[in-house]
Amino acid sequence: QVQLVESGGGLVQTGGSLRLSCAASGTIDNRNLMGWYRQAPGKQRELAATVTSGGRTNYADSVKGRFTISRDNAKNTAYLQMNSLKPEDTAVYYCNSQGIGFAYWGQGTQVTVSS
């Protein structure tokens, strides 16, 4: 049974930074795509960033230049460094791991950016 556990969320002022972590436990295929998605109140869940096992990254336009996704395959952990945070970044952030025949989600961590 694979579990993804997020940490690092919290309350921060506009312009501040947070670093999210996602630790995967259990047997997981490291050839997976790991990503961070977010869901703001009243809105659909949307992609923030993804990273392949080889380190190739992809970002939503809204976070490009401010967020950096990375992963440590040896630790089965993914990270999201968020800088220059804005109130519109306020959301629950979910970690995702997916590959051929599987997709896992974490329970989410709240990020709140005050103006």
PDB file of all heavy atoms in Angstrom, residues 58-96:
ATOM      1  N   ASN A  58       7.589  20.518 -15.497  1.00  0.00           N
ATOM      2  CA  ASN A  58       6.529  21.214 -16.215  1.00  0.00           C
ATOM      3  C   ASN A  58       5.763  22.051 -15.204  1.00  0.00           C
ATOM      4  O   ASN A  58       5.508  21.586 -14.084  1.00  0.00           O
ATOM      5  CB  ASN A  58       5.583  20.210 -16.883  1.00  0.00           C
ATOM      6  CG  ASN A  58       4.460  20.901 -17.625  1.00  0.00           C
ATOM      7  OD1 ASN A  58       4.699  21.740 -18.494  1.00  0.00           O
ATOM      8  ND2 ASN A  58       3.217  20.571 -17.284  1.00  0.00           N
ATOM      9  N   TYR A  59       5.424  23.289 -15.594  1.00  0.00           N
ATOM     10  CA  TYR A  59       4.768  24.200 -14.659  1.00  0.00           C
ATOM     11  C   TYR A  59       3.535  24.832 -15.294  1.00  0.00           C
ATOM     12  O   TYR A  59       3.511  25.110 -16.492  1.00  0.00           O
ATOM     13  CB  TYR A  59       5.714  25.326 -14.242  1.00  0.00           C
ATOM     14  CG  TYR A  59       6.921  24.881 -13.478  1.00  0.00           C
ATOM     15  CD1 TYR A  59       8.119  24.614 -14.120  1.00  0.00           C
ATOM     16  CD2 TYR A  59       6.869  24.719 -12.088  1.00  0.00           C
ATOM     17  CE1 TYR A  59       9.234  24.191 -13.424  1.00  0.00           C
ATOM     18  CE2 TYR A  59       7.981  24.297 -11.375  1.00  0.00           C
ATOM     19  CZ  TYR A  59       9.155  24.037 -12.058  1.00  0.00           C
ATOM     20  OH  TYR A  59      10.259  23.622 -11.347  1.00  0.00           O
ATOM     21  N   ALA A  60       2.560  25.101 -14.445  1.00  0.00           N
ATOM     22  CA  ALA A  60       1.443  25.921 -14.886  1.00  0.00           C
ATOM     23  C   ALA A  60       1.950  27.345 -15.099  1.00  0.00           C
ATOM     24  O   ALA A  60       2.875  27.802 -14.414  1.00  0.00           O
ATOM     25  CB  ALA A  60       0.335  25.920 -13.829  1.00  0.00           C
ATOM     26  N   ASP A  61       1.364  28.037 -16.061  1.00  0.00           N
ATOM     27  CA  ASP A  61       1.805  29.400 -16.355  1.00  0.00           C
ATOM     28  C   ASP A  61       1.729  30.294 -15.121  1.00  0.00           C
ATOM     29  O   ASP A  61       2.552  31.189 -14.941  1.00  0.00           O
ATOM     30  CB  ASP A  61       0.947  29.998 -17.481  1.00  0.00           C
ATOM     31  CG  ASP A  61       1.265  29.381 -18.833  1.00  0.00           C
ATOM     32  OD1 ASP A  61       2.336  28.751 -18.970  1.00  0.00           O
ATOM     33  OD2 ASP A  61       0.442  29.523 -19.749  1.00  0.00           O
ATOM     34  N   SER A  62       0.751  30.039 -14.277  1.00  0.00           N
ATOM     35  CA  SER A  62       0.520  30.897 -13.120  1.00  0.00           C
ATOM     36  C   SER A  62       1.617  30.801 -12.067  1.00  0.00           C
ATOM     37  O   SER A  62       1.721  31.677 -11.205  1.00  0.00           O
ATOM     38  CB  SER A  62      -0.831  30.566 -12.474  1.00  0.00           C
ATOM     39  OG  SER A  62      -0.870  29.197 -12.086  1.00  0.00           O
ATOM     40  N   VAL A  63       2.442  29.749 -12.126  1.00  0.00           N
ATOM     41  CA  VAL A  63       3.485  29.580 -11.106  1.00  0.00           C
ATOM     42  C   VAL A  63       4.897  29.627 -11.685  1.00  0.00           C
ATOM     43  O   VAL A  63       5.874  29.606 -10.935  1.00  0.00           O
ATOM     44  CB  VAL A  63       3.297  28.267 -10.312  1.00  0.00           C
ATOM     45  CG1 VAL A  63       1.878  28.177  -9.760  1.00  0.00           C
ATOM     46  CG2 VAL A  63       3.616  27.037 -11.159  1.00  0.00           C
ATOM     47  N   LYS A  64       5.003  29.692 -12.989  1.00  0.00           N
ATOM     48  CA  LYS A  64       6.330  29.715 -13.621  1.00  0.00           C
ATOM     49  C   LYS A  64       7.161  30.880 -13.111  1.00  0.00           C
ATOM     50  O   LYS A  64       6.676  31.996 -12.980  1.00  0.00           O
ATOM     51  CB  LYS A  64       6.173  29.832 -15.144  1.00  0.00           C
ATOM     52  CG  LYS A  64       5.902  28.537 -15.846  1.00  0.00           C
ATOM     53  CD  LYS A  64       5.803  28.734 -17.357  1.00  0.00           C
ATOM     54  CE  LYS A  64       5.470  27.446 -18.060  1.00  0.00           C
ATOM     55  NZ  LYS A  64       5.284  27.638 -19.515  1.00  0.00           N
ATOM     56  N   GLY A  65       8.416  30.584 -12.808  1.00  0.00           N
ATOM     57  CA  GLY A  65       9.309  31.619 -12.321  1.00  0.00           C
ATOM     58  C   GLY A  65       9.230  31.842 -10.817  1.00  0.00           C
ATOM     59  O   GLY A  65      10.077  32.536 -10.250  1.00  0.00           O
ATOM     60  N   ARG A  66       8.215  31.266 -10.185  1.00  0.00           N
ATOM     61  CA  ARG A  66       8.059  31.437  -8.728  1.00  0.00           C
ATOM     62  C   ARG A  66       8.164  30.114  -7.974  1.00  0.00           C
ATOM     63  O   ARG A  66       8.658  30.080  -6.851  1.00  0.00           O
ATOM     64  CB  ARG A  66       6.700  32.081  -8.411  1.00  0.00           C
ATOM     65  CG  ARG A  66       6.480  33.439  -9.063  1.00  0.00           C
ATOM     66  CD  ARG A  66       5.198  34.092  -8.579  1.00  0.00           C
ATOM     67  NE  ARG A  66       4.024  33.313  -8.936  1.00  0.00           N
ATOM     68  CZ  ARG A  66       3.152  32.830  -8.041  1.00  0.00           C
ATOM     69  NH1 ARG A  66       3.340  33.036  -6.744  1.00  0.00           N
ATOM     70  NH2 ARG A  66       2.083  32.134  -8.442  1.00  0.00           N
ATOM     71  N   PHE A  67       7.689  29.043  -8.587  1.00  0.00           N
ATOM     72  CA  PHE A  67       7.711  27.723  -7.944  1.00  0.00           C
ATOM     73  C   PHE A  67       8.784  26.856  -8.601  1.00  0.00           C
ATOM     74  O   PHE A  67       9.022  26.951  -9.809  1.00  0.00           O
ATOM     75  CB  PHE A  67       6.365  27.019  -8.107  1.00  0.00           C
ATOM     76  CG  PHE A  67       5.238  27.612  -7.313  1.00  0.00           C
ATOM     77  CD1 PHE A  67       5.332  28.839  -6.679  1.00  0.00           C
ATOM     78  CD2 PHE A  67       4.024  26.922  -7.213  1.00  0.00           C
ATOM     79  CE1 PHE A  67       4.286  29.380  -5.960  1.00  0.00           C
ATOM     80  CE2 PHE A  67       2.960  27.447  -6.501  1.00  0.00           C
ATOM     81  CZ  PHE A  67       3.093  28.682  -5.876  1.00  0.00           C
ATOM     82  N   THR A  68       9.381  25.976  -7.790  1.00  0.00           N
ATOM     83  CA  THR A  68      10.346  25.014  -8.305  1.00  0.00           C
ATOM     84  C   THR A  68      10.029  23.640  -7.729  1.00  0.00           C
ATOM     85  O   THR A  68       9.981  23.468  -6.513  1.00  0.00           O
ATOM     86  CB  THR A  68      11.780  25.404  -7.919  1.00  0.00           C
ATOM     87  OG1 THR A  68      12.072  26.714  -8.417  1.00  0.00           O
ATOM     88  CG2 THR A  68      12.773  24.404  -8.506  1.00  0.00           C
ATOM     89  N   ILE A  69       9.820  22.689  -8.632  1.00  0.00           N
ATOM     90  CA  ILE A  69       9.560  21.320  -8.202  1.00  0.00           C
ATOM     91  C   ILE A  69      10.848  20.516  -8.333  1.00  0.00           C
ATOM     92  O   ILE A  69      11.650  20.737  -9.254  1.00  0.00           O
ATOM     93  CB  ILE A  69       8.421  20.677  -9.019  1.00  0.00           C
ATOM     94  CG1 ILE A  69       8.019  19.328  -8.425  1.00  0.00           C
ATOM     95  CG2 ILE A  69       8.782  20.544 -10.491  1.00  0.00           C
ATOM     96  CD1 ILE A  69       6.751  18.739  -9.025  1.00  0.00           C
ATOM     97  N   SER A  70      11.051  19.599  -7.397  1.00  0.00           N
ATOM     98  CA  SER A  70      12.223  18.732  -7.452  1.00  0.00           C
ATOM     99  C   SER A  70      11.868  17.408  -6.780  1.00  0.00           C
ATOM    100  O   SER A  70      10.814  17.281  -6.157  1.00  0.00           O
ATOM    101  CB  SER A  70      13.424  19.386  -6.751  1.00  0.00           C
ATOM    102  OG  SER A  70      13.140  19.638  -5.385  1.00  0.00           O
ATOM    103  N   ARG A  71      12.756  16.441  -6.917  1.00  0.00           N
ATOM    104  CA  ARG A  71      12.518  15.147  -6.298  1.00  0.00           C
ATOM    105  C   ARG A  71      13.840  14.499  -5.936  1.00  0.00           C
ATOM    106  O   ARG A  71      14.866  14.762  -6.547  1.00  0.00           O
ATOM    107  CB  ARG A  71      11.708  14.237  -7.214  1.00  0.00           C
ATOM    108  CG  ARG A  71      12.389  13.882  -8.506  1.00  0.00           C
ATOM    109  CD  ARG A  71      11.424  13.172  -9.461  1.00  0.00           C
ATOM    110  NE  ARG A  71      11.168  11.803  -9.029  1.00  0.00           N
ATOM    111  CZ  ARG A  71      10.212  11.029  -9.564  1.00  0.00           C
ATOM    112  NH1 ARG A  71       9.455  11.506 -10.539  1.00  0.00           N
ATOM    113  NH2 ARG A  71      10.042   9.795  -9.147  1.00  0.00           N
ATOM    114  N   ASP A  72      13.754  13.639  -4.928  1.00  0.00           N
ATOM    115  CA  ASP A  72      14.882  12.819  -4.514  1.00  0.00           C
ATOM    116  C   ASP A  72      14.436  11.369  -4.646  1.00  0.00           C
ATOM    117  O   ASP A  72      13.686  10.865  -3.798  1.00  0.00           O
ATOM    118  CB  ASP A  72      15.268  13.159  -3.063  1.00  0.00           C
ATOM    119  CG  ASP A  72      16.500  12.421  -2.590  1.00  0.00           C
ATOM    120  OD1 ASP A  72      16.758  11.312  -3.107  1.00  0.00           O
ATOM    121  OD2 ASP A  72      17.198  12.931  -1.714  1.00  0.00           O
ATOM    122  N   ASN A  73      14.866  10.713  -5.712  1.00  0.00           N
ATOM    123  CA  ASN A  73      14.398   9.356  -5.976  1.00  0.00           C
ATOM    124  C   ASN A  73      14.836   8.379  -4.890  1.00  0.00           C
ATOM    125  O   ASN A  73      14.127   7.427  -4.577  1.00  0.00           O
ATOM    126  CB  ASN A  73      14.900   8.882  -7.342  1.00  0.00           C
ATOM    127  CG  ASN A  73      14.220   9.622  -8.473  1.00  0.00           C
ATOM    128  OD1 ASN A  73      13.080  10.060  -8.357  1.00  0.00           O
ATOM    129  ND2 ASN A  73      14.924   9.776  -9.587  1.00  0.00           N
ATOM    130  N   ALA A  74      15.992   8.599  -4.321  1.00  0.00           N
ATOM    131  CA  ALA A  74      16.487   7.699  -3.278  1.00  0.00           C
ATOM    132  C   ALA A  74      15.610   7.745  -2.038  1.00  0.00           C
ATOM    133  O   ALA A  74      15.479   6.770  -1.307  1.00  0.00           O
ATOM    134  CB  ALA A  74      17.926   8.054  -2.923  1.00  0.00           C
ATOM    135  N   LYS A  75      15.006   8.906  -1.802  1.00  0.00           N
ATOM    136  CA  LYS A  75      14.143   9.071  -0.633  1.00  0.00           C
ATOM    137  C   LYS A  75      12.664   8.977  -0.982  1.00  0.00           C
ATOM    138  O   LYS A  75      11.816   9.131  -0.100  1.00  0.00           O
ATOM    139  CB  LYS A  75      14.416  10.427   0.020  1.00  0.00           C
ATOM    140  CG  LYS A  75      15.818  10.575   0.588  1.00  0.00           C
ATOM    141  CD  LYS A  75      15.997  11.934   1.245  1.00  0.00           C
ATOM    142  CE  LYS A  75      17.382  12.089   1.842  1.00  0.00           C
ATOM    143  NZ  LYS A  75      17.578  13.422   2.476  1.00  0.00           N
ATOM    144  N   ASN A  76      12.339   8.764  -2.253  1.00  0.00           N
ATOM    145  CA  ASN A  76      10.934   8.737  -2.679  1.00  0.00           C
ATOM    146  C   ASN A  76      10.205   9.992  -2.200  1.00  0.00           C
ATOM    147  O   ASN A  76       9.085   9.911  -1.667  1.00  0.00           O
ATOM    148  CB  ASN A  76      10.223   7.490  -2.152  1.00  0.00           C
ATOM    149  CG  ASN A  76      10.587   6.243  -2.934  1.00  0.00           C
ATOM    150  OD1 ASN A  76      10.986   6.329  -4.091  1.00  0.00           O
ATOM    151  ND2 ASN A  76      10.478   5.098  -2.293  1.00  0.00           N
ATOM    152  N   THR A  77      10.834  11.114  -2.375  1.00  0.00           N
ATOM    153  CA  THR A  77      10.281  12.376  -1.882  1.00  0.00           C
ATOM    154  C   THR A  77      10.299  13.421  -2.994  1.00  0.00           C
ATOM    155  O   THR A  77      11.255  13.501  -3.765  1.00  0.00           O
ATOM    156  CB  THR A  77      11.069  12.880  -0.672  1.00  0.00           C
ATOM    157  OG1 THR A  77      11.022  11.892   0.358  1.00  0.00           O
ATOM    158  CG2 THR A  77      10.485  14.177  -0.138  1.00  0.00           C
ATOM    159  N   ALA A  78       9.228  14.213  -3.033  1.00  0.00           N
ATOM    160  CA  ALA A  78       9.146  15.332  -3.960  1.00  0.00           C
ATOM    161  C   ALA A  78       8.979  16.614  -3.154  1.00  0.00           C
ATOM    162  O   ALA A  78       8.454  16.599  -2.037  1.00  0.00           O
ATOM    163  CB  ALA A  78       7.976  15.154  -4.922  1.00  0.00           C
ATOM    164  N   TYR A  79       9.425  17.700  -3.759  1.00  0.00           N
ATOM    165  CA  TYR A  79       9.384  18.991  -3.072  1.00  0.00           C
ATOM    166  C   TYR A  79       8.784  20.045  -3.995  1.00  0.00           C
ATOM    167  O   TYR A  79       8.866  19.940  -5.219  1.00  0.00           O
ATOM    168  CB  TYR A  79      10.795  19.437  -2.678  1.00  0.00           C
ATOM    169  CG  TYR A  79      11.553  18.422  -1.866  1.00  0.00           C
ATOM    170  CD1 TYR A  79      12.408  17.510  -2.487  1.00  0.00           C
ATOM    171  CD2 TYR A  79      11.412  18.357  -0.489  1.00  0.00           C
ATOM    172  CE1 TYR A  79      13.100  16.569  -1.756  1.00  0.00           C
ATOM    173  CE2 TYR A  79      12.105  17.416   0.260  1.00  0.00           C
ATOM    174  CZ  TYR A  79      12.942  16.528  -0.385  1.00  0.00           C
ATOM    175  OH  TYR A  79      13.626  15.594   0.355  1.00  0.00           O
ATOM    176  N   LEU A  80       8.210  21.062  -3.369  1.00  0.00           N
ATOM    177  CA  LEU A  80       7.758  22.222  -4.124  1.00  0.00           C
ATOM    178  C   LEU A  80       8.189  23.461  -3.367  1.00  0.00           C
ATOM    179  O   LEU A  80       7.651  23.762  -2.296  1.00  0.00           O
ATOM    180  CB  LEU A  80       6.239  22.210  -4.312  1.00  0.00           C
ATOM    181  CG  LEU A  80       5.699  23.305  -5.219  1.00  0.00           C
ATOM    182  CD1 LEU A  80       6.159  23.075  -6.666  1.00  0.00           C
ATOM    183  CD2 LEU A  80       4.163  23.369  -5.173  1.00  0.00           C
ATOM    184  N   GLN A  81       9.176  24.159  -3.916  1.00  0.00           N
ATOM    185  CA  GLN A  81       9.619  25.415  -3.342  1.00  0.00           C
ATOM    186  C   GLN A  81       8.774  26.528  -3.943  1.00  0.00           C
ATOM    187  O   GLN A  81       8.754  26.702  -5.161  1.00  0.00           O
ATOM    188  CB  GLN A  81      11.102  25.646  -3.644  1.00  0.00           C
ATOM    189  CG  GLN A  81      11.640  26.974  -3.141  1.00  0.00           C
ATOM    190  CD  GLN A  81      11.652  27.056  -1.620  1.00  0.00           C
ATOM    191  OE1 GLN A  81      12.047  26.105  -0.946  1.00  0.00           O
ATOM    192  NE2 GLN A  81      11.247  28.191  -1.076  1.00  0.00           N
ATOM    193  N   MET A  82       8.097  27.264  -3.081  1.00  0.00           N
ATOM    194  CA  MET A  82       7.183  28.313  -3.542  1.00  0.00           C
ATOM    195  C   MET A  82       7.690  29.657  -3.038  1.00  0.00           C
ATOM    196  O   MET A  82       7.760  29.887  -1.826  1.00  0.00           O
ATOM    197  CB  MET A  82       5.766  28.051  -3.026  1.00  0.00           C
ATOM    198  CG  MET A  82       5.233  26.674  -3.396  1.00  0.00           C
ATOM    199  SD  MET A  82       3.509  26.431  -2.921  1.00  0.00           S
ATOM    200  CE  MET A  82       3.665  26.496  -1.138  1.00  0.00           C
ATOM    201  N   ASN A  83       8.040  30.517  -3.960  1.00  0.00           N
ATOM    202  CA  ASN A  83       8.531  31.859  -3.631  1.00  0.00           C
ATOM    203  C   ASN A  83       7.577  32.907  -4.172  1.00  0.00           C
ATOM    204  O   ASN A  83       6.732  32.623  -5.019  1.00  0.00           O
ATOM    205  CB  ASN A  83       9.924  32.070  -4.227  1.00  0.00           C
ATOM    206  CG  ASN A  83      10.956  31.103  -3.682  1.00  0.00           C
ATOM    207  OD1 ASN A  83      10.899  30.698  -2.516  1.00  0.00           O
ATOM    208  ND2 ASN A  83      11.909  30.740  -4.513  1.00  0.00           N
ATOM    209  N   SER A  84       7.729  34.122  -3.687  1.00  0.00           N
ATOM    210  CA  SER A  84       6.902  35.249  -4.148  1.00  0.00           C
ATOM    211  C   SER A  84       5.428  34.884  -4.136  1.00  0.00           C
ATOM    212  O   SER A  84       4.705  35.120  -5.115  1.00  0.00           O
ATOM    213  CB  SER A  84       7.336  35.677  -5.555  1.00  0.00           C
ATOM    214  OG  SER A  84       8.690  36.045  -5.578  1.00  0.00           O
ATOM    215  N   LEU A  85       4.996  34.330  -3.046  1.00  0.00           N
ATOM    216  CA  LEU A  85       3.616  33.850  -2.962  1.00  0.00           C
ATOM    217  C   LEU A  85       2.611  34.993  -3.022  1.00  0.00           C
ATOM    218  O   LEU A  85       2.866  36.101  -2.531  1.00  0.00           O
ATOM    219  CB  LEU A  85       3.417  33.037  -1.686  1.00  0.00           C
ATOM    220  CG  LEU A  85       4.001  31.617  -1.752  1.00  0.00           C
ATOM    221  CD1 LEU A  85       4.195  31.037  -0.372  1.00  0.00           C
ATOM    222  CD2 LEU A  85       3.088  30.724  -2.592  1.00  0.00           C
ATOM    223  N   LYS A  86       1.469  34.684  -3.635  1.00  0.00           N
ATOM    224  CA  LYS A  86       0.399  35.649  -3.825  1.00  0.00           C
ATOM    225  C   LYS A  86      -0.879  35.119  -3.169  1.00  0.00           C
ATOM    226  O   LYS A  86      -1.028  33.895  -3.005  1.00  0.00           O
ATOM    227  CB  LYS A  86       0.131  35.855  -5.314  1.00  0.00           C
ATOM    228  CG  LYS A  86       1.346  36.238  -6.138  1.00  0.00           C
ATOM    229  CD  LYS A  86       0.993  36.287  -7.622  1.00  0.00           C
ATOM    230  CE  LYS A  86       2.206  36.641  -8.474  1.00  0.00           C
ATOM    231  NZ  LYS A  86       1.873  36.666  -9.919  1.00  0.00           N
ATOM    232  N   PRO A  87      -1.812  35.993  -2.830  1.00  0.00           N
ATOM    233  CA  PRO A  87      -3.080  35.518  -2.251  1.00  0.00           C
ATOM    234  C   PRO A  87      -3.779  34.486  -3.140  1.00  0.00           C
ATOM    235  O   PRO A  87      -4.425  33.566  -2.626  1.00  0.00           O
ATOM    236  CB  PRO A  87      -3.904  36.800  -2.123  1.00  0.00           C
ATOM    237  CG  PRO A  87      -2.883  37.868  -1.923  1.00  0.00           C
ATOM    238  CD  PRO A  87      -1.722  37.464  -2.784  1.00  0.00           C
ATOM    239  N   GLU A  88      -3.643  34.623  -4.443  1.00  0.00           N
ATOM    240  CA  GLU A  88      -4.295  33.672  -5.346  1.00  0.00           C
ATOM    241  C   GLU A  88      -3.634  32.294  -5.345  1.00  0.00           C
ATOM    242  O   GLU A  88      -4.137  31.357  -5.977  1.00  0.00           O
ATOM    243  CB  GLU A  88      -4.353  34.222  -6.779  1.00  0.00           C
ATOM    244  CG  GLU A  88      -3.033  34.734  -7.326  1.00  0.00           C
ATOM    245  CD  GLU A  88      -2.890  36.240  -7.164  1.00  0.00           C
ATOM    246  OE1 GLU A  88      -3.221  36.769  -6.081  1.00  0.00           O
ATOM    247  OE2 GLU A  88      -2.420  36.886  -8.137  1.00  0.00           O
ATOM    248  N   ASP A  89      -2.523  32.143  -4.648  1.00  0.00           N
ATOM    249  CA  ASP A  89      -1.918  30.828  -4.469  1.00  0.00           C
ATOM    250  C   ASP A  89      -2.560  30.059  -3.322  1.00  0.00           C
ATOM    251  O   ASP A  89      -2.244  28.885  -3.107  1.00  0.00           O
ATOM    252  CB  ASP A  89      -0.411  30.961  -4.197  1.00  0.00           C
ATOM    253  CG  ASP A  89       0.355  31.522  -5.368  1.00  0.00           C
ATOM    254  OD1 ASP A  89       0.068  31.121  -6.521  1.00  0.00           O
ATOM    255  OD2 ASP A  89       1.245  32.370  -5.143  1.00  0.00           O
ATOM    256  N   THR A  90      -3.431  30.722  -2.579  1.00  0.00           N
ATOM    257  CA  THR A  90      -4.114  30.062  -1.471  1.00  0.00           C
ATOM    258  C   THR A  90      -4.928  28.881  -1.981  1.00  0.00           C
ATOM    259  O   THR A  90      -5.769  29.023  -2.876  1.00  0.00           O
ATOM    260  CB  THR A  90      -5.034  31.053  -0.740  1.00  0.00           C
ATOM    261  OG1 THR A  90      -4.229  32.064  -0.129  1.00  0.00           O
ATOM    262  CG2 THR A  90      -5.860  30.345   0.326  1.00  0.00           C
ATOM    263  N   ALA A  91      -4.669  27.701  -1.418  1.00  0.00           N
ATOM    264  CA  ALA A  91      -5.335  26.475  -1.862  1.00  0.00           C
ATOM    265  C   ALA A  91      -4.869  25.317  -0.994  1.00  0.00           C
ATOM    266  O   ALA A  91      -3.923  25.451  -0.211  1.00  0.00           O
ATOM    267  CB  ALA A  91      -4.997  26.185  -3.322  1.00  0.00           C
ATOM    268  N   VAL A  92      -5.529  24.199  -1.163  1.00  0.00           N
ATOM    269  CA  VAL A  92      -5.015  22.938  -0.640  1.00  0.00           C
ATOM    270  C   VAL A  92      -4.131  22.342  -1.726  1.00  0.00           C
ATOM    271  O   VAL A  92      -4.563  22.210  -2.877  1.00  0.00           O
ATOM    272  CB  VAL A  92      -6.140  21.959  -0.259  1.00  0.00           C
ATOM    273  CG1 VAL A  92      -5.546  20.646   0.233  1.00  0.00           C
ATOM    274  CG2 VAL A  92      -7.048  22.569   0.802  1.00  0.00           C
ATOM    275  N   TYR A  93      -2.923  21.993  -1.353  1.00  0.00           N
ATOM    276  CA  TYR A  93      -1.957  21.443  -2.303  1.00  0.00           C
ATOM    277  C   TYR A  93      -1.863  19.935  -2.107  1.00  0.00           C
ATOM    278  O   TYR A  93      -1.651  19.450  -0.985  1.00  0.00           O
ATOM    279  CB  TYR A  93      -0.595  22.099  -2.107  1.00  0.00           C
ATOM    280  CG  TYR A  93      -0.536  23.494  -2.674  1.00  0.00           C
ATOM    281  CD1 TYR A  93      -1.241  24.548  -2.077  1.00  0.00           C
ATOM    282  CD2 TYR A  93       0.192  23.780  -3.831  1.00  0.00           C
ATOM    283  CE1 TYR A  93      -1.227  25.820  -2.624  1.00  0.00           C
ATOM    284  CE2 TYR A  93       0.223  25.052  -4.373  1.00  0.00           C
ATOM    285  CZ  TYR A  93      -0.488  26.062  -3.762  1.00  0.00           C
ATOM    286  OH  TYR A  93      -0.461  27.332  -4.307  1.00  0.00           O
ATOM    287  N   TYR A  94      -2.006  19.217  -3.221  1.00  0.00           N
ATOM    288  CA  TYR A  94      -2.008  17.763  -3.201  1.00  0.00           C
ATOM    289  C   TYR A  94      -0.801  17.219  -3.956  1.00  0.00           C
ATOM    290  O   TYR A  94      -0.499  17.663  -5.070  1.00  0.00           O
ATOM    291  CB  TYR A  94      -3.268  17.225  -3.855  1.00  0.00           C
ATOM    292  CG  TYR A  94      -4.548  17.571  -3.140  1.00  0.00           C
ATOM    293  CD1 TYR A  94      -5.261  18.722  -3.471  1.00  0.00           C
ATOM    294  CD2 TYR A  94      -5.056  16.749  -2.136  1.00  0.00           C
ATOM    295  CE1 TYR A  94      -6.437  19.048  -2.826  1.00  0.00           C
ATOM    296  CE2 TYR A  94      -6.232  17.067  -1.483  1.00  0.00           C
ATOM    297  CZ  TYR A  94      -6.914  18.216  -1.831  1.00  0.00           C
ATOM    298  OH  TYR A  94      -8.082  18.527  -1.188  1.00  0.00           O
ATOM    299  N   CYS A  95      -0.177  16.227  -3.375  1.00  0.00           N
ATOM    300  CA  CYS A  95       0.899  15.510  -4.045  1.00  0.00           C
ATOM    301  C   CYS A  95       0.296  14.362  -4.856  1.00  0.00           C
ATOM    302  O   CYS A  95      -0.684  13.735  -4.428  1.00  0.00           O
ATOM    303  CB  CYS A  95       1.866  14.968  -3.000  1.00  0.00           C
ATOM    304  SG  CYS A  95       3.246  14.036  -3.673  1.00  0.00           S
ATOM    305  N   ASN A  96       0.886  14.090  -5.998  1.00  0.00           N
ATOM    306  CA  ASN A  96       0.407  13.026  -6.876  1.00  0.00           C
ATOM    307  C   ASN A  96       1.586  12.230  -7.399  1.00  0.00           C
ATOM    308  O   ASN A  96       2.634  12.795  -7.719  1.00  0.00           O
ATOM    309  CB  ASN A  96      -0.383  13.650  -8.032  1.00  0.00           C
ATOM    310  CG  ASN A  96      -0.710  12.644  -9.111  1.00  0.00           C
ATOM    311  OD1 ASN A  96       0.022  12.502 -10.087  1.00  0.00           O
ATOM    312  ND2 ASN A  96      -1.823  11.950  -8.949  1.00  0.00           N
TER     313      ASN A  96
END
